Amino acid sequence: MRTEREATRTVRAWLEEGVTALPDRVLDAVLDQVPMTPQRRARWPARRIPDMNTYAKLAISAAAVVVVALVGIRLLPVSGGVGGGGPAASPTASPSPTPRATATPSPAAVFPNKGELAVGSRQAMTLAGVPLTLSVPASGWLSNGTFAIDKGSFPATWEGGFIFWSDATPTGVFTDPCGQTKGPAIGSSAADLAAAVATVPGTDLIGAPSNVTVGGYPAKRVVLHVREDARCPAGSFYLWYAPGPDLERYATELGSTIRVWIVDVNGTLVWIDGETSKDAAAGVAREMQQIIDSIQFAP
Amino acid sequence: MDAELIGRAQHGDEEAFASLAVAVGDRLHAVAHRILRDINLAENATQQALLTIWRDLPQLRDPARFDAWSYRLLVRACFAEGRRTRRWAPNLLLLPVDHPVDAEGLSSVVDRDQLERGFRRLSIDHRAVVVLHHYLDMPLDEVAETLGVPVGTVRSRLHHAMRGLRAALEADLRPTALEATR
């Protein structure tokens, strides 16, 4: 078994091999075509801050401060969305003009430590600023330490399922998953989000938005099947997005089934989704549901 | 990159662009070859990227961003080339590349073979992240800027890609059916 570092070193050494020189005939072909290729020039001059008057600059600066504050408040309690940073420092963000539960960032990210989760023990994490605990019903569920709990260890014992825990709640879906075209931001209720999820092109709706409860709170559940005939590979098939730079969820496999739970915890939406591959081991989806059923919120 | 050269090429100076193309051609081609793993496809992608650079250069506002911008155009060209090939030649046999036998860090020819197979199973998006980060040593935030995607997406792609490559490397460690019966 190689360590991750050894594997990385091997990949890097392998990438060093191979051609590095562009053949002259290719360069000549390019330069031959240049005289026949007109350059494209920008049609409109770029609007730059120096072009604006003082009041406009101040307005933009003020807007930027508000945006930074809001984004900062949103991101400080990150517990490891895709690529979420490390533990947040002591929060110093100014108060949000629209107080919500998420406006009180937790002092540090919380997510189960990397490794297998003990059956029956309570595991703590924070999503969208809401603390919660959960337990796994069977052996073989492993935390990646940041944003995912996998059934099995990839690749040797992976059983084709994982739950994705995102600190940021998506606010819109992609209207063209392969073209990576975002639809407009949608309504902020769980029903609005669930309805939007149910319409992601290139997916089949297996379970229409339905009312369920998670941890005693009202939730919407939607189940999608990612079609296998998508015109782009799975890693380029985008499903939904959240504000800020850190969350654009894509399907990790074509043909997979994606279950979404959108929980309304006293007005704060908590988003959980799980993906099972088309060849997932029997029982993975059931265990996934049992994990969801084990959730207890402590808002 | 020489900002003065870029500025002249932006204003239509073909000689300046020729110098620019010579300066960046090898680098772009090396990256294209590592993403596409095929010499002919890489040449096509590099040629297309260089022509797009010439065509769109007047729209590059900040010459200091030339490198990232040129890589972005190259990756797009690789994506187009890969897609065209997939659409029209799904069973194209990709020949193994030439390589030295004693490169540091590669324990065996088997490693190369497994990596080659594992890498080709990745999408162009995932390959590009691996190459920009592990071949060009580009930090993840620069990879994100180059590809025009969020840093989180880059991290995820790198995670999935490296997981796949590691799995490919592990594959040669599993005993074959023949070995297992010995």
Side-chain angles (χ1 to χ4, degrees):
Chain A
M1 177 71 76
R2 289 167 209 259
T3 65
E4 196 167 326
R5 181 176 294 183
E6 287 169 344
T8 300
R9 194 168 60 230
T10 303
V11 169
R12 281 178 166 261
W14 174 72
L15 285 171
E16 284 299 319
E17 299 178 347
V19 300
T20 54
L22 181 65
D24 286 343
R25 58 182 165 74
V26 179
L27 192 57
D28 291 344
V30 170
L31 299 180
D32 285 347
Q33 292 179 67
V34 162
M36 297 170 284
T37 306
Q39 288 187 310
R40 288 203 298 213
R41 302 194 177 274
R43 292 188 179 189
W44 305 102
R47 176 176 281 274
R48 296 195 174 100
I49 283 185
D51 299 328
M52 302 176 193
N53 64 40
T54 304
Y55 292 110
K57 289 180 202 173
L58 284 174
I60 286 177
S61 300
V65 167
V66 171
V67 168
V68 166
L70 288 173
V71 170
I73 287 167
R74 181 107 188 148
L75 295 181
L76 273 170
V78 163
S79 64
V82 175
S90 297
T92 55
S94 54
S96 164
T98 52
R100 295 182 52 186
T102 53
T104 307
S106 40
V110 177
F111 200 81
N113 290 332
K114 187 173 183 176
E116 180 158 5
L117 305 179
V119 177
S121 67
R122 301 301 297 177
Q123 306 291 334
M125 68 172 72
T126 302
L127 295 183
V130 179
L132 63 93
T133 62
L134 58 86
S135 62
V136 296
S139 61
W141 286 94
L142 292 93
S143 164
N144 75 345
T146 50
F147 63 83
I149 295 180
D150 285 85
K151 178 64 175 178
S153 176
F154 193 89
T157 61
W158 198 60
E159 296 183 37
F162 71 89
I163 306 177
F164 182 92
W165 308 86
S166 168
D167 189 69
T169 301
T171 55
V173 301
F174 283 82
T175 52
D176 178 3
C178 288
Q180 298 172 13
T181 306
K182 291 178 179 174
I186 49 190
S188 57
S189 72
D192 291 337
L193 289 170
V197 166
T199 65
V200 174
T203 65
D204 295 317
L205 187 62
I206 295 178
S210 60
N211 294 319
V212 297
T213 59
V214 175
Y217 288 88
K220 289 285 183 183
R221 180 176 183 270
V222 189
V223 184
L224 299 175
H225 174 257
V226 181
R227 291 182 203 145
E228 291 186 68
D229 60 357
R231 59 183 172 81
C232 59
S236 301
F237 189 96
Y238 282 70
L239 299 161
W240 40 80
Y241 63 90
D246 264 342
L247 183 68
E248 286 183 349
R249 172 77 153 93
Y250 58 80
T252 57
E253 276 189 30
L254 298 181
S256 65
T257 299
I258 298 180
R259 297 160 180 80
V260 179
W261 295 266
I262 308 164
V263 194
D264 187 337
V265 183
N266 296 336
T268 298
L269 296 185
V270 173
W271 181 291
I272 304 163
D273 66 69
E275 185 169 342
T276 49
S277 61
K278 60 184 177 183
D279 53 358
V284 171
R286 186 184 66 249
E287 290 178 16
M288 190 178 284
Q289 182 63 52
Q290 289 174 318
I291 292 173
I292 301 301
D293 291 341
S294 77
I295 290 175
Q296 294 174 4
F297 291 101
Chain B
M1 192 48 62
D2 185 341
E4 190 255 336
L5 202 59
I6 294 170
R8 282 170 47 206
Q10 280 186 306
H11 288 89
D13 185 331
E14 294 178 9
E15 270 189 38
F17 176 73
S19 300
L20 202 56
V22 168
V24 301
D26 287 353
R27 190 162 43 84
L28 294 179
H29 184 53
V31 170
H33 184 244
R34 278 150 185 81
I35 292 174
L36 292 166
R37 311 305 301 174
D38 179 273
I39 198 75
N40 294 319
L41 299 182
E43 288 180 3
N44 290 344
T46 308
Q47 183 172 336
Q48 186 55 52
L50 284 169
L51 275 172
T52 307
I53 288 170
W54 160 255
R55 191 192 61 191
D56 291 349
L57 204 45
Q59 298 180 28
L60 175 65
R61 291 181 192 169
D62 180 4
R65 305 304 310 151
F66 177 82
D67 283 347
W69 178 75
S70 61
Y71 283 130
R72 179 187 289 211
L73 297 182
L74 179 74
V75 171
R76 282 185 195 161
C78 288
F79 197 85
E81 198 62 29
R83 189 165 47 201
R84 190 166 65 84
T85 305
R86 197 168 59 240
R87 185 174 300 160
W88 294 108
N91 296 316
L92 181 70
L93 175 64
L94 299 174
L95 299 173
V97 296
D98 293 329
H99 43 60
V101 295
D102 57 350
E104 187 182 353
L106 282 171
S107 59
S108 69
V109 173
V110 177
D111 274 354
R112 294 190 181 88
D113 187 50
Q114 299 292 358
L115 278 173
E116 196 73 42
R117 290 169 190 274
F119 197 79
R120 286 169 194 235
R121 282 197 288 267
L122 301 177
S123 71
I124 299 292
D125 286 332
H126 287 77
R127 296 183 197 185
V129 170
V130 172
V131 171
L132 293 180
H133 183 60
H134 284 308
Y135 177 62
L136 291 181
D137 282 329
M138 202 180 269
L140 293 186
D141 57 343
E142 279 185 33
V143 174
E145 186 183 344
T146 298
L147 298 179
V149 298
V151 178
T153 302
V154 169
R155 287 199 187 101
S156 281
R157 286 181 183 171
L158 189 62
H159 172 74
H160 287 292
M162 292 305 290
R163 196 169 69 163
L165 291 177
R166 194 175 170 194
L169 281 169
E170 297 300 334
D172 68 315
L173 298 178
R174 295 179 200 145
T176 63
L178 182 60
E179 289 167 333
T181 57
R182 282 178 185 165

